[in-house]
Amino acid sequence: MTKNSVEPNALSERAQHLLKVLIEHYIRDGQPVGSRLLAKESRLDLSPASVRNVMADLEELGLVTAPHTSAGRVPTVQGYRLFVDSLITVKPVEGPAVEDLAKTLKAGFDPNRVVKTASHWLSAMTQMAGVVMYPRRDRTSLRHVEFLRLSERRVLVILVTNDQEVQNRIIECKREYSASELEQAANYLTKSFVGHDLQEVRETIVEEMRRAKEDMDRIMRTALEMGERALADEPRGDDYALSGETNLMTFSELADMERLRNLFESFHQKNEILHLLDQCLNAARTNIFIGNESGYGPLDECSVVTTPYRVDDRVVGVLGVIGPTRMQYEKVIPIVDITAKLLGAALKPR
Amino acid sequence: MTKNSVEPNALSERAQHLLKVLIEHYIRDGQPVGSRLLAKESRLDLSPASVRNVMADLEELGLVTAPHTSAGRVPTVQGYRLFVDSLITVKPVEGPAVEDLAKTLKAGFDPNRVVKTASHWLSAMTQMAGVVMYPRRDRTSLRHVEFLRLSERRVLVILVTNDQEVQNRIIECKREYSASELEQAANYLTKSFVGHDLQEVRETIVEEMRRAKEDMDRIMRTALEMGERALADEPRGDDYALSGETNLMTFSELADMERLRNLFESFHQKNEILHLLDQCLNAARTNIFIGNESGYGPLDECSVVTTPYRVDDRVVGVLGVIGPTRMQYEKVIPIVDITAKLLGAALKPR
DNA sequence: CTCTGGCACTCCAATTACCTGAGTGCCAAG
DNA sequence: CTTGGCACTCAGGTAATTGGAGTGCCAGAG
């Protein structure tokens, strides 16, 4: 999948084990790990010298690297890659907090709030940044339309969709509409299009308008005109919910102000991150970008663990965690997974 | 106003001038300023030695302090206080950007968006953090009510208020209501209470319910019950809009990670900051908290410049800027002032 | 062929020492 | 009151020193 990756079977059993122990240790305390320590830790009853030989091999393969001549080794991106792909042993996520989340999510009405809760939980559990893409609603179907006259030419549109979401928009009209005109228009639209996809509704309306331009009664025309304007440009609001960015400040590898500032700035910009998340929408399983694998500068020292979440077996969004490359993958992965499962369940329309 | 402040007339003309020049210089480049430099800068044709004598006086009064024996002087909180209260000469804020803001604000419909725009502008203009409290709407009057049945016992409430704001709430009911029941209830409520204050409406309803408990027709009862629940607990959403927090990362006096983290965390918590802003609601004029004057730990190295904004001569909110104590007050103050004026104008109901 | 102890070598990081420049306080003379 | 002079202080930078951790490689043992 990733170019330049190393096949696990190119490594001896022993090398794999040592790499695993090394990475686990490095993740724990962030210091380069040397041969003496590794020999003890590995429980393989090897001397430091033998370990050194193995390390030399691993270095040649590009799985570890030494910051300088006489320091221990640290994992490279490829090292982490191999680790998360084939060596990792994930720990199941512990009990009570999970049930709490399940309950809280179930109790929520507003999908936006539910998403935010999930994002907060991710950040709280991992002590890193949690991010949840809002469920996409391109197949959102209409449930109710309401028009309300605000002033001469300004009309408030209230759209209720089947996933219990409410959208308000204000549109500026070309001419003035009376209250009763608007009411009739709303009634017509609601009656005709309930249960239909928003996009589809708009297309139908546009089509209708073109076909029968002249011979329409006043009500029909009003309804179509208003409907067309109301559905015009779907203003996607925020695209994802991010929580716990500030957690990232505690990681020494991100301590450089400039770097951190870029990172935060890019969280605000959203586009790049969103693009990254979009990539993960298609992936069926949990996805991990390590270090520069994301191909996006500010995330160079970070890893991103994402997984899609489903409602009724249909993928509707992505959620995950952003943290330093040196993160506890074996804990984070199951946390992300369970969150996806619970969020999906909570969003199921009732 | 502030305890422990120093009367300006306790200082000679010369001392005041020197203090002013010192603070202006320190604000410019953040270095302690020494006597030689100050003697030149002040254009008073004094020798450094004389300046030193004055500095000793100022230090005794607690207006300046020396970080160590042989460094120049830096202003203390009291020094800044005196400076902003009586020495400062504000520069009027420059043209084109202001007109841009005026235009953008005028064009906005949704008050929430308008507030966010103002906040962004503050942050962009000052390169610090901009914060705008949402206009309070306790005297918000009702314009339209709508009930919509989502499922057996869940009803969506849509409240439109006179300031063109729309609130959606979902309430869980004790018994099931039919669609027509809800419609009648909404009609009744709208008809009876349009133009009344929300709080007042709720009180009237509760009163009504107590008075005539039994002898009510079904519609009335439904209307009152629903109305009472709908207005129950006003869920104030976000309380203020904050922009440009990340700008604060570039200030060396806030460079310490731990401090910065606390600051950001407290932005997320909101309560404390909100309390601070609330204090300023009553102040008629522009208000400045310098350093620890806010009495709130994370803001110790920061100053907060706020001013209330008015709609139709009634104060409805507060906005301002948060930045390092060493900020360019003479620029920031007019920026904050003009923003308040423009925001107030833009929020005037049309 | 694999493992191990030994040894020389390297490099970082922390400590120490030293120096310079900026600035002060005080004093005595103008 | 102002000023120049002088001794003193201190932060911050540069350079030298040292100790420790760890490596690579080799030769000998299993």
Side-chain angles (χ1 to χ4, degrees):
Chain A
M1 176 194 175
T2 323
K3 48 200 159 186
N4 225 345
S5 71
V6 176
E7 286 298 315
N9 33 4
L11 261 59
S12 70
E13 195 71 29
R14 167 182 297 174
Q16 289 189 31
H17 182 239
L18 281 176
L19 178 61
K20 184 180 176 205
V21 175
L22 183 148
I23 294 184
E24 282 169 354
H25 194 95
Y26 180 71
I27 285 176
R28 255 202 306 288
D29 63 35
Q31 296 302 312
V33 17
S35 54
R36 187 190 340 273
L37 188 66
L38 196 49
K40 255 182 227 158
E41 198 93 351
S42 71
R43 312 207 140 283
L44 276 188
D45 204 27
L46 281 179
S47 82
S50 310
V51 172
R52 285 203 281 277
N53 289 328
V54 179
M55 301 302 272
D57 295 350
L58 291 178
E59 182 149 26
E60 205 162 355
L61 286 168
L63 296 171
V64 297
T65 184
H68 56 87
T69 335
S70 98
R73 304 304 215 288
V74 301
T76 63
V77 169
Q78 288 96 45
Y80 278 120
R81 178 89 272 158
L82 185 66
F83 176 70
V84 300
D85 284 347
S86 13
L87 304 179
I88 204 169
T89 46
V90 298
K91 300 176 186 172
V93 54
E94 59 276 53
V98 175
E99 277 146 42
D100 266 16
L101 175 67
K103 238 179 267 171
T104 318
L105 286 184
K106 276 285 177 201
F109 300 138
D110 177 12
N112 287 345
R113 196 159 289 282
V114 170
V115 161
K116 273 183 194 142
T117 306
S119 169
H120 277 124
W121 193 77
L122 279 176
S123 112
M125 288 295 288
T126 60
Q127 301 288 12
M128 300 187 287
V131 51
V132 181
M133 207 171 139
Y134 284 107
R136 63 172 168 187
R137 42 183 193 213
D138 48 11
R139 303 222 61 76
T140 305
S141 71
L142 188 65
R143 184 161 178 151
H144 189 88
V145 182
E146 189 88 8
F147 294 123
L148 193 60
R149 197 167 164 276
L150 289 178
S151 62
E152 301 88 41
R153 306 213 164 174
R154 300 169 67 193
V155 173
L156 171 68
V157 185
I158 300 168
L159 288 178
V160 186
T161 62
N162 67 336
D163 40 328
Q164 302 176 7
E165 222 183 345
V166 187
Q167 295 176 40
N168 308 311
R169 309 179 190 178
I170 295 173
I171 59 179
E172 200 110 14
C173 315
K174 271 164 287 183
R175 71 171 179 86
E176 196 170 337
Y177 294 92
S178 77
S180 73
E181 261 182 307
L182 291 176
E183 195 183 325
Q184 287 174 304
N187 280 340
Y188 172 75
L189 287 175
T190 305
K191 221 173 289 170
S192 317
F193 293 111
V194 154
H196 290 71
D197 176 85
L198 283 192
Q199 215 53 37
E200 181 194 327
V201 171
R202 182 167 144 71
E203 279 156 23
T204 313
I205 287 178
V206 172
E207 175 60 27
E208 201 82 8
M209 284 176 80
R210 203 179 37 217
R211 184 143 25 131
K213 213 156 190 170
E214 309 304 327
D215 51 331
M216 268 193 297
D217 61 14
R218 195 174 164 84
I219 296 178
M220 261 294 272
R221 165 165 302 162
T222 303
L224 293 186
E225 276 173 12
M226 294 300 296
E228 194 265 336
R229 295 185 67 84
L231 300 174
D233 51 335
E234 186 144 3
R236 282 182 67 75
D238 282 344
D239 295 308
Y240 59 80
L242 180 72
S243 310
E245 321 88 281
T246 55
N247 284 340
L248 300 182
M249 288 206 235
T250 54
F251 294 101
S252 55
E253 43 268 82
L254 303 175
D256 168 28
M257 276 287 164
E258 197 46 39
R259 180 190 301 288
L260 206 55
R261 191 184 141 80
N262 283 338
L263 191 57
F264 279 42
E265 214 58 69
S266 74
F267 285 155
H268 281 199
Q269 300 292 331
K270 304 220 169 185
N271 337 21
E272 299 273 7
I273 302 275
L274 197 67
H275 184 251
L276 195 64
L277 293 181
D278 262 339
Q279 284 186 265
C280 307
L281 257 180
N282 306 319
R285 258 187 44 65
T286 302
N287 214 326
I288 306 183
F289 288 96
I290 297 166
N292 60 14
E293 285 181 357
S294 66
Y296 179 42
L299 286 182
D300 267 4
E301 300 293 311
C302 292
S303 284
V304 186
V305 179
T306 68
T307 205
Y309 61 93
R310 296 170 172 77
V311 173
D312 290 332
D313 279 334
R314 224 170 46 78
V315 172
V316 296
V318 178
L319 58 79
V321 162
I322 301 176
T325 303
R326 174 175 82 81
M327 70 164 73
Q328 297 188 57
Y329 297 93
E330 74 275 9
K331 278 191 185 173
V332 170
I333 293 171
I335 288 176
V336 169
D337 285 346
I338 190 79
T339 310
K341 211 169 290 174
L342 294 177
L343 179 59
L347 286 176
K348 187 176 295 199
R350 282 163 282 185
Chain B
M1 175 192 174
T2 323
K3 48 201 159 184
N4 223 346
S5 72
V6 175
E7 286 298 315
N9 34 3
L11 260 61
S12 71
E13 195 71 30
R14 167 183 297 176
Q16 289 190 29
H17 181 240
L18 282 176
L19 179 61
K20 183 179 177 206
V21 175
L22 183 147
I23 294 185
E24 282 169 354
H25 194 95
Y26 180 71
I27 285 176
R28 255 202 304 289
D29 62 36
Q31 295 303 312
V33 17
S35 54
R36 189 193 335 275
L37 188 68
L38 196 50
K40 254 181 226 157
E41 198 94 352
S42 71
R43 312 207 140 283
L44 277 187
D45 204 28
L46 280 181
S47 80
S50 312
V51 172
R52 285 204 281 276
N53 289 328
V54 179
M55 301 302 272
D57 296 349
L58 291 179
E59 182 150 26
E60 204 162 357
L61 286 169
L63 296 171
V64 297
T65 184
H68 57 87
T69 334
S70 96
R73 305 303 215 288
V74 300
T76 63
V77 169
Q78 289 95 44
Y80 278 119
R81 178 89 272 159
L82 185 66
F83 176 71
V84 299
D85 283 347
S86 12
L87 304 179
I88 204 169
T89 46
V90 298
K91 302 175 185 172
V93 55
E94 59 276 54
V98 175
E99 275 145 43
D100 266 16
L101 175 67
K103 238 179 268 171
T104 318
L105 286 184
K106 275 285 177 203
F109 302 137
D110 177 13
N112 287 346
R113 196 157 290 281
V114 170
V115 161
K116 273 184 193 142
T117 306
S119 169
H120 276 124
W121 193 76
L122 278 176
S123 114
M125 287 295 287
T126 61
Q127 301 288 11
M128 300 188 287
V131 51
V132 181
M133 208 172 141
Y134 283 108
R136 63 171 168 189
R137 42 188 190 208
D138 48 11
R139 302 221 62 76
T140 304
S141 71
L142 188 64
R143 182 160 180 155
H144 189 86
V145 183
E146 188 87 9
F147 294 124
L148 191 60
R149 197 167 163 274
L150 289 178
S151 63
E152 300 88 43
R153 304 211 165 175
R154 301 170 65 195
V155 173
L156 171 69
V157 185
I158 301 168
L159 287 178
V160 186
T161 62
N162 66 337
D163 41 327
Q164 305 175 5
E165 222 184 344
V166 187
Q167 296 176 38
N168 308 311
R169 310 178 191 179
I170 295 173
I171 58 179
E172 200 110 15
C173 315
K174 272 164 286 183
R175 71 170 179 88
E176 196 171 336
Y177 293 92
S178 77
S180 73
E181 262 183 307
L182 291 175
E183 196 184 325
Q184 286 175 306
N187 281 340
Y188 172 76
L189 288 175
T190 304
K191 219 173 291 169
S192 317
F193 293 110
V194 154
H196 289 71
D197 176 85
L198 282 193
Q199 215 54 36
E200 180 194 328
V201 171
R202 181 167 145 71
E203 279 157 23
T204 313
I205 287 179
V206 172
E207 176 59 28
E208 200 82 8
M209 283 176 81
R210 206 179 34 219
R211 184 141 27 129
K213 216 162 192 167
E214 308 305 325
D215 51 333
M216 267 195 298
D217 61 15
R218 193 173 164 87
I219 295 177
M220 262 293 273
R221 164 165 304 161
T222 304
L224 293 186
E225 276 173 14
M226 292 302 295
E228 194 265 338
R229 294 184 66 85
L231 299 173
D233 52 335
E234 185 144 3
R236 281 181 70 75
D238 283 344
D239 294 308
Y240 59 79
L242 180 72
S243 310
E245 321 87 283
T246 55
N247 283 342
L248 300 183
M249 288 206 237
T250 55
F251 293 102
S252 54
E253 42 270 82
L254 304 175
D256 168 28
M257 276 287 163
E258 196 47 38
R259 179 190 303 288
L260 206 56
R261 190 183 141 80
N262 283 339
L263 191 57
F264 279 43
E265 213 58 69
S266 75
F267 284 154
H268 282 198
Q269 300 292 331
K270 305 219 168 184
N271 337 22
E272 300 273 8
I273 303 274
L274 197 67
H275 185 250
L276 195 65
L277 294 180
D278 262 339
Q279 285 186 263
C280 307
L281 257 180
N282 306 319
R285 259 188 45 64
T286 302
N287 213 327
I288 306 184
F289 288 97
I290 297 165
N292 60 15
E293 285 180 358
S294 67
Y296 179 42
L299 287 181
D300 267 4
E301 300 292 311
C302 293
S303 285
V304 185
V305 178
T306 69
T307 205
Y309 60 93
R310 296 171 172 75
V311 174
D312 289 332
D313 279 334
R314 224 169 46 78
V315 172
V316 297
V318 178
L319 59 79
V321 161
I322 300 175
T325 302
R326 174 175 83 80
M327 69 166 73
Q328 297 188 57
Y329 297 93
E330 74 275 9
K331 278 191 185 172
V332 170
I333 292 171
I335 289 177
V336 169
D337 285 347
I338 191 79
T339 310
K341 210 168 291 174
L342 294 177
L343 179 59
L347 287 176
K348 187 175 295 200
R350 283 163 282 184

